[in-house]
Amino acid sequence: MTDFHTRPFLSVVVPMYNEADSIVEFVTQLRSVLDELNCTYEVLFVDDGSTDSSVVSLQNIDWPQARVISFLVNAGHMAALDAGYREALGEYVVSLDSDLQHPPSMIPAMLDRAKQQGVDVVYAARATRENDGFFKRVSALAYYRTMRALTGLNLESSAADFRLVSHRVIRVLRELPPGRQVFRLLIPSLGFSSATVLYTASPRFAGKTKYTVLKMVNLSADSIVGFTTKPLTISIRLGLTVSLLAVLGFIYVLATYFAGRAETGWASLLSTILLMFGLLFIILGIFGLYLGAILRASMARPTYIIDSERNRPETSTT
């Protein structure tokens, strides 16, 4: 039994939403894995405002190491994960979904990889997406490729939010304000040492995916707005391109005028319109860059993280 007055070695964070049909089987598999580990542990189930009997099913299970955190209303997967990270006490923290597509049996391998390689993050990435539908495969591929291109981050494809992080990472995450953090981008952006293990996802044990198209769109929007200002610079580049076309248009108008074969009306009007739109895009892009700087400042993400420090002088706390 975990003594919650001391830090357990491992915390497992499980966001869930309306998983009544699979939660008992998930608990059975997870507990079987954790009880075989030679370490103390805790499990935090974060219920994201479920409207079914998910919480009741958990409350009927006698598991001293398990805690249940319930949201008043549905706040989203990222919010549930954020709450779990802030409550986790373990030296290492593993997050995984409760639909059994993230196999609990991978946890020992993730712990071994973290300890053997001395890394702060271990990503569990799907070896294949053959069990997913066509739309899910295409949308996932497009998401990771787009995010890599826009953010410049070295993202693990298909890693999602099945990962292990050290308590050192958790301390940094807790310094950030609570909100709609996109951890699959935030954690790689911090620069901690990492490794990857591959797994094969099983089909859902029961029910349907809760990750709707709308949630995918919202995730993409949060990812772009929260981690890159490149879309803002695109408007500047577009404005410069349109302005260049306008200048070329004016040169054409002048050349045809002096050549005595001027096209009356349309050429000069089109060039004027292009120039105005070009200037407008440039102005909007500049405004956007300033707004992007304000956005980054408001998120209060750390500019740097000190890895180690030698010969630090003792300072007085009085």
Side-chain angles (χ1 to χ4, degrees):
M1 177 174 178
T2 302
D3 180 2
F4 289 111
H5 296 290
T6 61
R7 177 186 298 175
F9 182 76
L10 175 67
S11 294
V12 180
V13 175
V14 185
M16 66 176 193
Y17 177 67
N18 287 349
E19 295 291 353
D21 293 334
S22 61
I23 195 64
V24 173
E25 177 62 25
F26 173 79
V27 167
T28 300
Q29 293 189 25
L30 178 62
R31 189 170 186 176
S32 174
V33 170
L34 296 181
D35 285 344
E36 290 296 320
L37 296 175
N38 187 26
C39 68
T40 56
Y41 69 85
E42 65 171 351
V43 182
L44 291 85
F45 291 94
V46 185
D47 176 57
D48 186 20
S50 293
T51 57
D52 64 2
S53 60
S54 299
V55 174
V56 175
S57 298
L58 285 174
Q59 292 172 341
N60 291 332
I61 297 173
D62 182 19
W63 194 3
Q65 291 93 339
R67 288 193 280 161
V68 181
I69 302 170
S70 297
F71 287 176
L72 182 62
V73 295
N74 181 256
H77 185 270
M78 292 299 113
L81 191 55
D82 183 59
Y85 279 156
R86 293 179 187 278
E87 291 291 327
L89 303 173
E91 185 66 28
Y92 290 101
V93 180
V94 172
S95 60
L96 75 165
D97 293 342
S98 59
D99 58 8
L100 290 171
Q101 289 193 292
H102 293 169
S105 59
M106 290 298 301
I107 292 177
M110 297 167 76
L111 275 172
D112 288 343
R113 184 65 60 88
K115 290 184 286 188
Q116 290 172 5
Q117 297 190 7
V119 296
D120 287 295
V121 184
V122 177
Y123 300 104
R126 293 191 183 200
T128 177
R129 282 189 168 270
E130 61 184 13
N131 290 328
D132 289 340
F134 175 77
F135 176 77
K136 188 67 178 292
R137 292 198 303 269
V138 171
S139 61
L141 178 64
Y143 173 82
Y144 285 104
R145 284 188 175 180
T146 301
M147 291 305 107
R148 277 193 289 264
L150 290 178
T151 65
L153 296 174
N154 183 23
L155 302 177
E156 289 289 344
S157 295
S158 303
D161 292 304
F162 188 12
R163 71 175 71 85
L164 173 147
V165 296
S166 69
H167 191 72
R168 191 162 74 132
V169 178
I170 293 297
R171 287 200 303 268
V172 174
L173 297 180
R174 287 175 180 166
E175 293 176 359
L176 304 178
R180 295 170 62 178
Q181 303 288 359
V182 183
F183 291 103
R184 65 187 68 183
L185 297 181
L186 174 59
I187 292 176
S189 74
L190 297 176
F192 286 103
S193 57
S194 65
T196 302
V197 296
L198 300 178
Y199 73 96
T200 300
S202 303
R204 284 184 61 87
F205 180 80
K208 297 181 179 180
T209 180
K210 311 302 187 300
Y211 228 67
T212 63
V213 174
L214 179 59
K215 290 184 178 181
M216 293 180 187
V217 172
N218 289 337
L219 173 65
S220 300
D222 288 342
S223 300
I224 293 173
V225 171
F227 288 88
T228 179
T229 58
K230 280 189 177 181
L232 303 176
T233 63
I234 290 174
S235 63
I236 295 179
R237 295 175 183 174
L238 180 60
L240 291 173
T241 301
V242 174
S243 297
L244 177 60
L245 292 176
V247 170
L248 293 176
F250 280 123
I251 293 174
Y252 170 77
V253 170
L254 291 174
T256 55
Y257 174 79
F258 286 111
R261 49 185 178 85
E263 300 282 350
T264 59
W266 72 267
S268 58
L269 179 61
L270 178 60
S271 297
T272 302
I273 293 174
L274 287 176
L275 180 61
M276 295 303 295
F277 271 102
L279 293 174
L280 180 61
F281 279 123
I282 292 173
I283 293 171
L284 288 176
I286 293 172
F287 273 117
L289 291 176
Y290 281 104
L291 290 174
I294 295 172
L295 174 65
R296 288 192 296 272
S298 68
M299 289 180 175
R301 290 180 185 147
T303 304
Y304 60 87
I305 299 170
I306 297 176
D307 183 35
S308 61
E309 188 174 356
R310 296 183 181 181
N311 300 326
R312 180 180 181 181
E314 294 294 332
T315 57
S316 174
T317 59
T318 60

